[in-house]
Amino acid sequence: MAIRIPRGWELPERLATPEHLVLNRRAALASAGLGLGLLAPGMAQAQGAALAPMPAPRSTKYPPGREVTPERDATTYNNFYEFGTDKGIHRPAQALPTRPWTVKVDGMVEAPREFDMDDLLKLMTLEERVYRHRCVEAWSMVVPWTGFQLSQLLAQVKPLSGAKYVRFESAALRGVMPGLRQSWYPWPYIEGCTIEEAANELSFMVVGAYGKTLPAQMGAPLRVHFPWKYGFKAGKSLVRITLTDQRPKGLWEAIQASEYGFWANVNPEVSHPRWSQASERLLGSGERVPTVIWNGYGEQVAGLYSGLMRERLFV
Ligand SMILES: Nc1nc2c(c(=O)[nH]1)N[C@H]1C(S)=C(S)[C@@H](COP(=O)(O)O)O[C@H]1N2
Ligand SMILES: [Mo]
């Protein structure tokens, strides 16, 4: 996966990072070449050895309208910059210690709380949802995620009426995340949404994929998913969720606000400044298909934005 011959469709993915980061990725690709002989057998171990089954009833409410992406493709082509800038970070990511794990839910809430991950799993009602995922780099996938609605978690801490936004903070573990040495990134990885978006039925906290415990490279043990937004909004390996009256500034927005904004809702008609968003490449088949407004979830989310048309909703 690390060594590929670039084709036309790969251009956006290569351009998706600021120029100096692209140079860095090239260096990573060059050094990955040294391990080429190990790459193919490594794929079999992509999900690590310790993934436990995580059965949960599959919801039929949100049919994805596309075939599920083969597990191997979805778990070996990842963005998780804490582990490096190339798509093959499933190997280094296995070093992430996902237990014990706690997630703090705090800020403008009546009952702030630090949850132990295993306690949280017992507290929440788990279900499986098959969602589309559209990366701003113009690739996409369809994954059966196991998890619970974000609203279920927020109910536990009772948001105060002044809370307007939710801020998601990812783990930043110096010892195990080589990407943190790239000090020009404003770590930790931060993302955010409005309280209305967080309360939407689609906003989902993910703890598993393909009927198993979430693999490290997908953001174990807990990540968020907003299926109608570009993938960078979906913070991985969360350690803190904070309700606030300040609009959170994401890591990508902090680096390049003109390209990666706060809202980042999927819209095929609004191009990224450096490439078109009209279509996307499906992980697995490699087929190129048209991108759909709100990534196909307009029925659930379009109403959230009716009063916000002056905002940059699609960048
Ligand atoms: N902490 C953290 N979360 C992250 C990222 C990241 O680099 N670090 N990348 C984002 C991007 S750009 C995408 S497309 C998705 C990728 O999720 P996947 O690897 O499970 O496909 O994770 C998002 N969440
Ligand atoms: Mo992404």
Side-chain angles (χ1 to χ4, degrees):
M1 192 60 76
I3 304 298
R4 303 167 300 175
I5 297 161
R7 289 180 231 145
W9 50 256
E10 290 187 302
L11 205 58
E13 293 169 47
R14 187 166 53 76
L15 291 176
T17 41
E19 294 311 316
H20 59 292
L21 307 184
V22 172
L23 291 175
N24 188 280
R25 177 179 298 182
R26 284 208 192 101
L29 287 176
S31 64
L34 299 171
L36 189 60
L38 295 172
L39 283 180
M43 295 298 185
Q45 294 160 11
Q47 298 116 44
L51 294 182
M54 186 172 260
R58 178 173 287 196
S59 167
T60 52
K61 265 166 125 182
Y62 314 106
R66 287 179 190 166
E67 278 186 31
V68 169
T69 302
E71 181 177 353
R72 209 187 87 150
D73 295 294
T75 55
T76 56
Y77 189 89
N78 303 95
N79 275 333
F80 200 164
Y81 273 45
E82 288 86 334
F83 289 98
T85 52
D86 72 277
K87 300 292 194 256
I89 53 73
H90 55 272
R91 293 154 122 286
Q94 303 313 311
L96 180 70
T98 57
R99 287 295 188 284
W101 191 276
T102 56
V103 56
K104 204 183 282 179
V105 189
D106 66 357
M108 300 178 75
V109 298
E110 222 177 283
R113 195 161 155 189
E114 185 158 33
F115 295 91
D116 170 78
M117 193 57 208
D118 293 310
D119 294 343
L120 184 62
L121 287 175
K122 281 179 218 140
L123 210 54
M124 299 287 111
T125 307
L126 298 185
E127 60 178 298
E128 185 179 68
R129 292 192 186 180
V130 186
Y131 274 169
R132 297 185 184 198
H133 173 107
R134 170 59 155 83
C135 177
V136 73
E137 298 164 342
W139 56 267
S140 71
M141 60 183 181
V142 178
V143 173
W145 303 108
T146 303
F148 50 89
Q149 241 175 251
L150 175 54
S151 59
Q152 218 192 126
L153 176 60
L154 296 183
Q156 289 285 325
V157 296
K158 304 192 174 88
L160 296 172
S161 60
K164 294 191 167 64
Y165 300 97
V166 185
R167 176 185 183 273
F168 298 86
E169 180 177 329
S170 297
L173 301 170
R174 296 235 151 241
V176 292
M177 294 174 158
L180 300 195
R181 280 183 237 134
Q182 304 188 311
S183 54
W184 56 86
Y185 288 100
W187 307 112
Y189 195 97
I190 301 294
E191 261 309 333
C193 67
T194 66
I195 194 89
E196 291 82 10
E197 290 175 323
N200 187 269
E201 64 185 280
L202 290 181
S203 298
F204 202 56
M205 300 303 295
V206 173
V207 297
Y210 296 94
K212 285 172 268 184
T213 307
L214 197 63
Q217 64 270 30
M218 290 183 128
L222 180 70
R223 58 98 63 90
V224 65
H225 199 281
F226 305 103
W228 70 100
K229 290 177 177 284
Y230 291 118
F232 70 88
K233 299 298 295 181
K236 293 181 167 181
S237 304
L238 299 172
V239 291
R240 189 171 180 194
I241 298 170
T242 306
L243 285 85
T244 163
D245 56 2
Q246 309 288 313
R247 184 183 286 193
K249 184 171 275 185
L251 175 137
W252 285 106
E253 188 183 0
I255 294 174
Q256 199 83 305
S258 62
E259 303 191 356
Y260 311 100
F262 171 76
W263 297 98
N265 296 303
V266 173
N267 186 341
E269 290 177 8
V270 179
S271 294
H272 183 279
R274 290 183 279 143
W275 59 83
S276 163
Q277 296 290 26
S279 66
E280 63 206 60
R281 177 180 63 90
L282 304 179
L283 289 194
S285 73
E287 192 190 341
R288 191 159 266 287
V289 300
T291 289
V292 184
I293 179 84
W294 313 111
N295 205 23
Y297 297 96
E299 187 189 328
Q300 289 83 15
V301 303
L304 285 171
Y305 304 99
S306 49
L308 293 169
M309 283 311 171
R310 283 210 304 271
E311 295 277 337
R312 286 168 69 222
L313 289 175
F314 305 107
V315 175

